């Protein structure tokens, strides 16, 4: 009789063995979050809003690019302007960019050639903003709008009545949402970095200085209550730090959070004349915009079906 070999102990599953599966699940969850599908109609409505606002922006808010062409020696481009081969400011370049942005935005807003027209607008608008921000002032309220022009062309064709879910559309809208929220987080980080502590800005006299410099009659009364201004500074800083919470909110709570930021921007405009319109517009990426399509369609049908009243000549004929 031969002795049987000793039994081998059963292998145990340790923490190291489960690590790859855990990472795969985590990466999968992140990927699903970034590409959460949205109706293509939502993309179509947002695309219309974004491209029409880009036209408004280059004509009114950032209309300094062509005048910059007469002072190219003062041009100090930001990092993007130093890395990418954008042309030196000149009146001719400014006019070329302006015509390209307006024409391309009109085509892209209509839904025609969304990739080609949108891509042209993305490049031209980025060059426009690099020029506009290359003369000692950088307006961080344009971050989300620039990102929107860069990501919307990746979706391709999207019709106002197309309710099919699209992961490409979900990724584009998520990128705009992240850029919108990053505007506030970046502002909070900048406050801390510039002052050297998490509380120096909130305990300072920033609001007092701003109100004394450009405050309207609506807000100047607060100068009599320094404690109120300091409390407001703390409230703003906390709101900026907590702004990423909107990604976990749903329904009325999400609407209330977005409403808070919109009311804040309205208040700063009424009291100080400071607006954040590009960022405000990009908050629309959080909204179920496809719900706007049926009411607009019904209103359009009523308008087109309405017969004009007969004039005197027609009535007497």
């Amino acid at each position: 009789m031969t002795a049987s070999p000793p039994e081998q102990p059963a292998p145990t599953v340790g923490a190291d063995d489960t690590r790859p599966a855990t990472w795969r699940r985590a990466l999968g969850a992140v990927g699903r979050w970034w590409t959460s599908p949205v109706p293509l109609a939502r993309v179509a409505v947002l695309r219309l809003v974004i491209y029409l606002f880009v036209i408004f922006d280059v004509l009114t808010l950032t209309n300094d690019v062509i005048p910059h062409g007469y002072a190219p020696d003062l041009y100090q481009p930001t990092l993007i302007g130093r890395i990418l081969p954008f042309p030196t400011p000149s009146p001719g370049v400014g006019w070329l960019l302006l015509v390209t942005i307006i024409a391309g935005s009109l085509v892209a807003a209509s839904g025609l050639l969304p990739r080609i027209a949108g891509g042209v607008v993305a490049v031209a608008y980025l060059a426009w903003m690099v020029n506009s921000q290359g003369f000692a002032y950088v307006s961080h309220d344009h971050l989300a709008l620039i990102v929107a022009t860069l990501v919307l062309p990746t979706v391709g064709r999207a019709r106002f009545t197309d309710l099919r879910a699209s992961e490409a559309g979900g990724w584009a809208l998520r990128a705009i949402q992240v850029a919108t929220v990053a505007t506030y987080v970046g502002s909070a980080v900048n406050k801390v970095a510039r002052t050297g502590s998490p509380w120096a800005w909130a305990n300072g006299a920033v609001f007092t200085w701003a109100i004394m410099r450009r405050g309207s009659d609506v807000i100047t009364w607060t100068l009599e209550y320094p404690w109120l201004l300091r409390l407001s500074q703390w409230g703003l800083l906390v709101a900026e730090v907590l702004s990423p919470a909107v990604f976990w909110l749903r329904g009325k709570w999400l609407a209330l959070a977005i409403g808070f930021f919109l009311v804040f921007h309205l208040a700063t405009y009424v009291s100080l004349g400071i607006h954040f319109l590009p960022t405000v517009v990009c908050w629309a990426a959080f909204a179920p915009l496809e719900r706007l399509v049926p009411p607009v369609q019904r209103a359009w049908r009523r308008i087109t079906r309405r017969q004009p009243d007969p004039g005197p000549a027609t009535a007497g004929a």
Side-chain angles (χ1 to χ4, degrees), residues 41 44-46 48-49 52 159-161 288-306:
V45 177
L46 182 64
L48 175 66
V49 172
L52 291 182
R159 295 182 174 85
F160 294 105
T161 56
L289 300 174
E290 69 278 6
R291 298 180 184 177
L292 299 175
V293 175
V296 172
Q297 287 179 320
R298 289 193 294 269
W300 178 252
R301 283 195 294 266
R302 285 197 296 267
I303 293 173
T304 54
R305 289 175 182 176
R306 186 178 300 169

Side-chain angles (χ1 to χ4, degrees), residues 184 186-197 200-201 236-237 240:
Y184 301 93
S187 178
V189 171
N190 183 61
K191 290 179 175 64
V192 174
R194 287 176 66 90
T195 59
S197 75
W201 184 91
L236 174 58
L237 183 61
E240 289 176 336

Side-chain angles (χ1 to χ4, degrees), residues 1 20 63 78 99 111 151 166 181 190 252 264 295 310:
M1 178 181 294
N63 58 354
T78 56
V99 172
V151 299
S166 167
V181 173
N190 183 61
K252 66 177 182 180
F264 163 72

Side-chain angles (χ1 to χ4, degrees), residues 117-138:
V120 169
V121 171
V123 175
Y125 186 65
L126 180 59
W128 180 275
M129 289 305 302
V130 166
N131 184 311
S132 178
Q133 312 299 291
F135 286 79
Y137 176 74
V138 176

Side-chain angles (χ1 to χ4, degrees), residues 66-160:
I66 295 174
H68 283 170
Y70 295 99
D73 294 340
L74 302 178
Y75 181 53
Q76 297 181 355
T78 56
L79 178 61
I80 295 177
R82 296 193 298 270
I83 294 176
L84 299 179
F86 289 132
T88 303
S90 70
V93 169
W95 279 109
L96 178 61
L97 289 175
L98 181 64
V99 172
T100 301
I101 292 170
I102 293 176
S105 295
L106 289 175
V107 175
S110 69
L112 299 174
L113 304 174
R115 295 186 189 275
I116 297 176
V120 169
V121 171
V123 175
Y125 186 65
L126 180 59
W128 180 275
M129 289 305 302
V130 166
N131 184 311
S132 178
Q133 312 299 291
F135 286 79
Y137 176 74
V138 176
S139 53
H140 62 285
D141 62 336
H142 279 74
L143 170 63
L145 186 61
I146 294 174
V147 170
T149 62
L150 293 173
V151 299
L152 283 175
T154 65
V155 182
R157 192 170 298 278
R159 295 182 174 85
F160 294 105

Side-chain angles (χ1 to χ4, degrees), residues 40-62:
L40 284 169
R42 184 178 304 182
V43 178
V45 177
L46 182 64
R47 183 178 58 195
L48 175 66
V49 172
I50 291 295
Y51 286 121
L52 291 182
F53 185 83
V54 165
I55 296 175
F56 171 79
D57 180 60
V58 298
L59 291 177
T60 57
L61 305 182
T62 58

